[in-house]
Amino acid sequence: MNDIILSTQNGEPVASSRQIAENFGKEHKNVMQAVANLVAENSAAKSMFYETTFENRGKQYPMYLMNRDGFSLLVMGFTGKAALEWKLKYIEAFNQMEKKLAQRPQLSRSELMAQALIAAHDELEHKDKQIAELTPKGIFADAVSASKQSILVGELAKILKQNGVEIGATRLFQWMRDNGYLIRGNRSDRNMPTQMSVKRGLFEIKETTVVHSDGHTSISKTPKVTGKGQVYFVDLFLGQRKLGADV
């Protein structure tokens, strides 16, 4: 693999453990274990890594995203000429992504407040607490809807499960395809939001910059559920659950 793919998490560029494993010639499970060891050895490292998942052939697998500091800490011990070349490529990719992020317009005060509420919600989820017990539903719904933060479909499945809806990422993808929210069929835009979904503000298409080894860039596209979409689907599934419908 000759491409470097960076995405963003909480407004900063991040790299994935999966791609690092491929680029540096490591087993992904070993990279995952190395990250887990770093976090276990020093609590300060927790802020450098973010646990998430990726999909492969319809199944979800664990993966870490890491910021520049996490990347530097992880690959510090990687040696060899090839490893040095990849380190330099990643540093350049981080620099380019940070430059692009710095050029984006700043969020308004209300948008920043909404994102703060979302961050608090995410923190509570990690502690396995129900947000409904701590924050009025209406306030949370307004904050999520106003927020610029969007999430992966797999992360939405986790939120639904925490609210008592027994559905995983694979089933949720299938349900969204069957019900016209995502494009179905064996085509290049499979699992991309339908025009109806985008027009209603339920999804956005996240474009990730891919830096190729020859210096040119391309765009990778990922469907993400908007704040409005999160509220919509949670309300929809909880309503169906109360009615005893099969989801």
Side-chain angles (χ1 to χ4, degrees):
M1 182 175 182
N2 296 318
D3 300 332
I4 295 177
I5 302 175
L6 297 184
S7 56
T8 58
Q9 181 69 28
N10 296 327
E12 65 177 338
V14 291
S16 76
S17 57
R18 185 185 180 200
Q19 191 201 17
I20 287 173
E22 293 176 348
N23 288 345
F24 286 92
K26 309 287 185 181
E27 291 287 340
H28 186 234
K29 63 180 181 181
N30 294 336
V31 173
M32 290 285 290
Q33 186 60 55
V35 173
N37 292 341
L38 289 172
V39 172
E41 291 172 4
N42 192 329
S43 59
K46 290 182 179 179
S47 62
M48 305 176 188
F49 300 95
Y50 174 77
E51 292 183 63
T52 184
T53 60
F54 70 93
E55 183 177 358
N56 184 26
R57 298 182 180 179
K59 294 184 178 180
Q60 295 291 317
Y61 298 92
M63 178 179 73
Y64 279 106
L65 295 177
M66 63 202 74
N67 61 18
R68 179 196 286 266
D69 291 339
F71 167 80
S72 300
L73 186 63
L74 177 64
V75 305
M76 189 181 298
F78 294 177
T79 59
K81 181 179 179 180
L84 176 59
E85 291 176 354
W86 277 113
K87 290 178 186 179
L88 293 174
K89 289 180 182 179
Y90 270 97
I91 290 172
E92 177 60 23
F94 271 107
N95 288 337
Q96 291 298 322
M97 179 67 83
E98 287 175 347
K99 183 177 179 180
K100 290 181 180 179
L101 290 173
Q103 295 172 347
R104 293 182 179 179
Q106 296 297 312
L107 298 180
S108 67
R109 183 174 181 273
S110 61
E111 290 170 337
L112 288 171
M113 291 178 66
Q115 288 206 358
L117 284 174
I118 297 300
H121 167 63
D122 290 341
E123 178 65 23
L124 292 171
E125 282 187 343
H126 284 304
K127 295 178 181 179
D128 295 324
K129 295 179 180 178
Q130 292 294 332
I131 189 66
E133 297 175 358
L134 300 169
T135 306
K137 180 180 178 182
I139 296 177
F140 172 66
D142 290 343
V144 175
S145 297
S147 174
K148 294 297 183 182
Q149 178 172 326
S150 57
I151 63 175
L152 298 171
V153 174
E155 293 171 330
L156 175 61
K158 292 180 181 179
I159 292 175
L160 289 170
K161 196 165 187 179
Q162 289 171 347
N163 283 275
V165 180
E166 290 300 322
I167 189 169
T170 301
R171 282 185 59 200
L172 183 55
F173 266 106
Q174 184 63 53
W175 182 91
M176 287 182 170
R177 289 194 296 268
D178 292 343
N179 288 274
Y181 295 101
L182 297 179
I183 295 173
R184 59 193 303 174
N186 295 322
R187 39 191 284 186
S188 61
D189 57 356
R190 174 182 169 86
N191 284 337
M192 289 294 106
T194 60
Q195 185 176 3
M196 175 272 292
S197 294
V198 175
K199 185 175 293 186
R200 294 174 65 181
L202 304 180
F203 286 89
E204 67 175 359
I205 299 176
K206 183 68 174 181
E207 295 187 345
T208 303
T209 302
V210 181
V211 183
H212 298 267
S213 58
D214 61 2
H216 83 278
T217 61
S218 60
I219 301 297
S220 174
K221 297 182 178 181
T222 304
K224 303 195 76 173
V225 187
T226 63
K228 180 179 179 180
Q230 294 167 48
V231 174
Y232 172 84
F233 287 115
V234 169
D235 285 347
L236 178 63
F237 275 81
L238 290 181
Q240 290 182 345
R241 189 188 64 175
K242 290 178 180 178
L243 293 174
D246 182 16
V247 296

